[in-house]
Amino acid sequence: ENCFVPISEIIAVEETEFNKKQRNIGRWQKMAKLHAFTVYYVKKARNHRWRCSNVTFWCVDEHLCNQWIQALKELLEMQKSRPKQLLVYINPYGGKRQGKRIYEQKVAPLFSLASISTDVVITEHANHAKDNLFEVNIYKYDGVVCVGGDGMFSEVMHGLIGRMQKDSGIDQNNPKASLVQCNIRIGIIPAGSTDCICYSTVGISDPVTSALHIIVGDCQPLDVSSVHHNNTFLKYSVSLLGYGFYGDILKDSEKKRWMGPMRYDYSGFKTFLSHHYYEGTIAYQPAKHTHGSPRDKESCRTGCCICKESEKQLAEQQKECGLKHEEGEEEWKFIKGKFLAINAVSMSCACPRSPKGLSPAAHLADGSADLILVRKCSRFDFLRYLLRHTNQDDQFDFPFVDVYRVKSFQFTSKLSEDNESNVMDIGKKRFGQFCRDHPACCCNIVNSTWNCDGETLDSSAIEVRVHCQLMKLFARGIEEKSKDEAAYSQSSIEQLL
């Protein structure tokens, strides 16, 4: 039976030397000297896992063998999206402190096989990678790879985007600034406590799979949200901005880092029992430019047509760069209330415990975020909502949960508005001053903390804007599972062996 491997999924082609033992086995012992070459290729297994497999072809004609090797190498050279030189940052302290071992044993041999040259930096302190990206010549690299968890990725992302804005003379502190796209791709080799971004863009948290996506030169654009407070830049976010429940979990877990990854379970249970709610005002601009809704049944997958449409719109906007789109002209909507959780997600935020994520229909690259508001409700109802993240039911189908697809939003807590006067100017015009009375019985804690991609932001009043496809990853989004995918990948290619 015939089968094929696309050129785009071939990793390398090498001439193969047969030793004496191989030559003298069975029917080959009567033949003249054998000539052979080995093709290394991507073998797709279940659950989006990729592996490097190989098949060896042999013949007695040396000229024919060399022709095949040359032809295949020329075809691989034509794959222009593949990286040739990478800058690699390894966090030796993240997760279970396995980053260096994972890279050296599982990733480096694959990069070497694919003839990718690397410059490796072992980070020694927080922000080492971020600071280093402002100093090195980043333009000689085809990509930057981070070995670690979501925190390590965030550091590399901030360094790379910040460097691009600095080189282009753009002030990151201006919340209305049009940021320059970052065309240097980032690769994530998962080795941390949390690998949410890798899971949401590849479909699995696996170092070998991620390394192979880098080698074949995959490219996945990604929306990035900028977070400001009083015209001061705070952070970039690509996954979760969470106030209330997820902010409180992070703040509590930071005090218990000695517990390792288990600290998230402990802090989550403790935060759930405390059941704090927070009062505040949200102003948001609906994302009218994109199709689809947070309540859609279909998720963002490889080749997503909604993300592709946003890419076209972005290209048209860049052509018409003379026409400035004023944020103030767009419609703002306002919501005031008591919230257990305020979550803004730029991707599904799927993980092994929550396979569909916080917002199953969120898109990676459509220039919008899904704003999820969980209003004050009973502890039992809130538990029902949290359990929906672990099954297939509609997690927004509750009277106390609202979800909106937005391109920007602002938030201020009830008590911070007087002190942080500039953040909610729009909200103030509409609502006026909040009442200063705050009975002690309302809640014990007046302000929560923002959880920004796993890092704390202490400013309760923030301004957030989504930048469409600001950066690119070595990924292709999550591929659709076909019924016969597993059978094909496990049996058909093996027939060549």
Side-chain angles (χ1 to χ4, degrees):
E1 187 180 328
N2 294 328
C3 61
F4 70 94
V5 176
I7 289 293
S8 61
E9 291 177 6
I10 290 178
I11 298 162
V13 180
E14 286 188 346
E15 189 175 356
T16 307
E17 287 291 331
F18 273 86
N19 58 39
K20 287 181 181 178
K21 284 184 181 178
Q22 285 173 309
R23 280 209 307 271
N24 292 330
I25 289 175
R27 58 184 173 142
W28 302 112
Q29 62 187 4
K30 296 177 184 177
M31 277 196 166
K33 183 182 177 183
L34 288 173
H35 301 279
F37 63 92
T38 301
V39 176
Y40 298 87
Y41 63 90
V42 170
K43 180 178 177 179
K44 296 181 182 180
R46 284 193 213 167
N47 300 324
H48 310 289
R49 189 182 299 275
W50 285 12
R51 284 292 172 263
C52 176
S53 194
N54 65 79
V55 59
T56 299
F57 299 88
W58 53 85
C59 63
V60 291
D61 187 336
E62 183 179 7
H63 179 65
L64 180 61
C65 185
N66 289 335
Q67 275 187 310
W68 269 102
I69 294 170
Q70 189 60 32
L72 286 168
K73 285 190 172 181
E74 283 175 7
L75 286 169
L76 289 180
E77 279 294 318
M78 290 167 65
Q79 305 293 307
K80 298 300 181 187
S81 64
R82 296 194 175 199
K84 289 184 171 58
Q85 191 161 7
L86 295 171
L87 176 59
V88 180
Y89 291 102
I90 301 174
N91 177 4
Y93 307 110
K96 296 176 182 175
R97 298 174 176 257
Q98 296 294 305
K100 194 165 180 289
R101 183 191 65 80
I102 286 170
Y103 179 77
E104 288 173 352
Q105 292 183 11
K106 296 186 175 184
V107 179
L110 289 172
F111 284 171
S112 177
L113 177 66
S115 302
I116 295 173
S117 61
T118 56
D119 290 337
V120 179
V121 177
I122 309 290
T123 60
E124 297 170 1
H125 52 80
N127 290 322
H128 183 167
K130 179 184 170 186
D131 296 340
N132 187 248
L133 281 164
F134 277 87
E135 297 166 3
V136 298
N137 176 15
I138 59 171
Y139 302 103
K140 73 175 185 177
Y141 298 104
D142 302 308
V144 179
V145 174
C146 56
V147 183
D150 290 338
M152 187 61 182
F153 165 77
S154 179
E155 195 177 312
V156 168
M157 174 186 71
H158 278 83
L160 208 50
I161 295 176
R163 172 67 182 272
M164 296 299 287
Q165 308 320 307
K166 181 188 172 188
D167 290 356
S168 303
I170 289 168
D171 180 14
Q172 288 183 107
N173 286 319
N174 177 5
K176 291 185 172 63
S178 293
L179 301 182
V180 170
Q181 269 187 307
C182 183
N183 289 318
I184 298 171
R185 287 167 289 177
I186 298 178
I188 308 171
I189 302 296
S193 300
T194 57
D195 301 300
C196 163
I197 294 152
C198 187
Y199 195 92
S200 295
T201 55
V202 176
I204 189 171
S205 177
D206 174 64
V208 171
T209 302
S210 293
L212 293 173
H213 277 284
I214 293 168
I215 288 168
V216 301
D218 277 339
C219 184
Q220 172 62 55
L222 208 60
D223 294 338
V224 180
S225 295
S226 59
V227 185
H228 287 78
H229 164 72
N230 275 358
N231 291 323
T232 302
F233 170 73
L234 299 179
K235 286 275 183 190
Y236 290 117
S237 167
V238 293
S239 57
L240 168 69
L241 265 170
Y243 186 81
F245 183 69
Y246 288 104
D248 292 349
I249 288 176
L250 182 65
K251 191 171 186 178
D252 187 73
S253 69
E254 284 297 297
K255 303 168 192 170
K256 300 174 178 64
R257 294 192 75 88
W258 55 271
M259 292 176 72
M262 198 174 71
R263 68 187 183 270
Y264 297 114
D265 294 329
Y266 175 83
S267 296
F269 183 66
K270 182 179 169 185
T271 303
F272 170 75
L273 291 179
S274 66
H275 203 61
H276 289 303
Y277 68 85
Y278 303 92
E279 293 188 67
T281 305
I282 294 161
Y284 69 91
Q285 289 181 300
K288 292 181 177 177
H289 67 282
T290 183
H291 302 291
S293 149
R295 304 292 293 272
D296 289 342
K297 300 300 178 190
E298 291 186 7
S299 303
C300 183
R301 290 291 181 262
T302 303
C304 172
C305 58
I306 289 177
C307 293
K308 279 207 158 62
E309 186 60 35
S310 293
E311 191 171 12
K312 287 180 190 172
Q313 290 178 9
L314 187 65
E316 287 169 11
Q317 283 178 16
Q318 287 170 344
K319 282 180 186 175
E320 302 166 3
C321 55
L323 300 172
K324 295 285 181 184
H325 297 277
E326 289 296 324
E327 293 284 334
E329 292 174 6
E330 297 289 339
E331 174 189 13
W332 283 87
K333 295 190 175 182
F334 301 86
I335 298 169
K336 199 174 174 183
K338 299 173 182 178
F339 306 99
L340 285 168
I342 298 168
N343 299 323
V345 297
S346 302
M347 57 176 64
S348 67
C349 291
C351 65
R353 288 190 181 183
S354 176
K356 289 172 62 182
L358 287 176
S359 185
H363 288 270
L364 295 173
D366 70 340
S368 75
D370 287 353
L371 181 63
I372 307 162
L373 309 179
V374 185
R375 295 178 183 272
K376 182 186 173 187
C377 62
S378 70
R379 194 179 273 108
F380 176 70
D381 277 343
F382 190 53
L383 178 61
R384 286 170 61 214
Y385 166 71
L386 293 177
L387 289 174
R388 283 278 174 96
H389 294 113
T390 64
N391 59 38
Q392 298 298 310
D393 295 334
D394 182 355
Q395 59 207 48
F396 303 130
D397 189 22
F398 292 104
F400 54 88
V401 178
D402 297 314
V403 61
Y404 309 94
R405 189 151 281 177
V406 305
K407 64 177 185 178
S408 60
F409 73 94
Q410 297 179 356
F411 171 79
T412 190
S413 66
K414 180 175 180 181
L415 290 187
S416 67
E417 191 175 46
D418 291 335
N419 299 328
E420 300 171 354
S421 57
N422 295 330
V423 177
M424 281 297 294
D425 290 336
I426 297 169
K428 279 188 171 181
K429 288 173 190 172
R430 181 65 61 92
F431 288 111
Q433 292 289 332
F434 272 123
C435 174
R436 295 189 180 207
D437 295 330
H438 186 74
C441 61
C442 277
C443 53
N444 297 327
I445 304 170
V446 292
N447 281 339
S448 178
T449 302
W450 281 96
N451 177 339
C452 178
D453 290 2
E455 295 179 31
T456 55
L457 291 180
D458 290 327
S459 294
S460 56
I462 62 169
E463 184 175 350
V464 180
R465 181 179 165 207
V466 183
H467 300 269
C468 186
Q469 304 189 9
L470 186 62
M471 57 162 293
K472 294 180 171 72
L473 291 182
F474 282 108
R476 62 172 64 173
I478 298 174
E479 293 183 291
E480 291 282 6
K481 288 183 184 176
S482 60
K483 291 179 182 177
D484 56 357
E485 180 188 89
Y488 168 80
S489 60
Q490 288 178 9
S491 65
S492 62
I493 296 179
E494 286 173 359
Q495 291 177 22
L496 285 174
L497 299 176

